[in-house]
Amino acid sequence: MFNKVLVATDFSPCAQRALELARAHFPQAEVRVLHVVTEESPFTTTEALLELEMLVSDAWKGETSLPGHEVVQGSPVQQVVESASAWGADLIVMGVSGQGGQGLGSVAEGVVRASTIPVLTVKSR
Amino acid sequence: MFKNILLAFDGSAHAQKAARLAADLARQYQAALCVVHAYDPVPDYLGEPYLQEVISRRTEAAERAMEQAQALLGDLPRVETEVLEGPAAEAILRVAQVRQVDLIVMGTRGLGQLSGLLLGSQSQKVVTHAPCPVLLVR
């Protein structure tokens, strides 16, 4: 089944659900968490990395080994798809309505279109 | 864990890949699997005998799709099938709600849609309105 699961987060509530789902449903898989910093981001890369570290250690509380995580810069769709393929992911997990957005979300839609590996989309409740 | 999986199946190449993946997941999680196939609504302005003919052609095509799905799924302890008339997204969402599934597996594009460029409108509708996570396969 899935061995390497890439979770893309924009720090939105539904990205948080995506992270929790990845942890709960793919316990055997290696998980990697990615955030893409764009020109419009409210964070610098360093701030995003701190935020991501907090997020991951919170979600994997009590575990001895935390999933790998990284912050990259660029276009979110391209970076998610490229990181997934460079790392050899066999599944991408992501939220579908980004921060402040309704509906599918342009990043999720772009990733679904561009990705050759399966994409698991998670909505916030 | 996923306990109740819905597979949307229209026979397209993407749906075939989705079927194999859904079967693997159902085995791994020992989940129940429900295969949903929707066929185009039959126009009610058709008079007899055309109406009957169109209906039987649609149901025969649906049966063939279901046989193909069963062959791809292989041996699974709990498989059920639902054939519904109507736009695929609505049929899928209706079954997802009634059966309270916790995962929908489907292809990114269905039959008869432009290949390559767009996320199928039915897939998009399902992702936007699904009560549960959606796994898109291509």
Side-chain angles (χ1 to χ4, degrees), chain A residues 41-122:
Chain A
S41 284
F43 311 107
T44 64
T45 305
T46 320
E47 286 166 344
L49 196 58
L50 282 174
E51 182 76 22
L52 199 57
E53 271 165 17
M54 248 159 53
L55 203 72
V56 167
S57 53
D58 235 31
W60 269 261
K61 203 178 280 172
E63 303 274 320
T64 44
S65 72
L66 297 180
H69 48 278
E70 73 173 324
V71 173
V72 293
Q73 279 179 312
S75 134
V77 172
Q78 196 185 344
Q79 292 300 331
V80 169
V81 172
E82 278 177 11
S83 289
S85 104
W87 181 53
D90 47 20
L91 177 69
I92 296 171
V93 182
M94 63 189 305
V96 284
S97 78
Q99 285 192 325
Q102 285 295 310
L104 188 49
S106 58
V107 176
E109 185 175 351
V111 170
V112 169
R113 282 185 193 178
S115 174
T116 51
I117 61 169
V119 180
L120 183 61
T121 59
V122 181

Side-chain angles (χ1 to χ4, degrees), chain A residues 1-2 21 24-28 91 96 103-104 109 112-123 125, chain B residues 1-2 17 21 24-25 28-29 103 108 117-119 124 127-138:
Chain A
M1 213 53 268
F2 300 119
L21 182 133
H25 287 71
F26 307 107
Q28 277 95 30
L91 177 69
V96 284
L104 188 49
E109 185 175 351
V112 169
R113 282 185 193 178
S115 174
T116 51
I117 61 169
V119 180
L120 183 61
T121 59
V122 181
K123 277 199 323 179
R125 281 209 197 283
Chain B
M1 294 297 117
F2 299 120
K17 272 183 85 177
L21 194 56
D24 285 347
L25 287 167
Q28 186 189 342
Y29 295 108
L103 177 68
T108 42
L117 286 172
L118 299 164
L119 175 59
Q124 189 158 348
V127 169
T128 317
H129 298 288
C132 62
V134 181
L135 182 58
L136 293 155
V137 184
R138 83 163 197 198

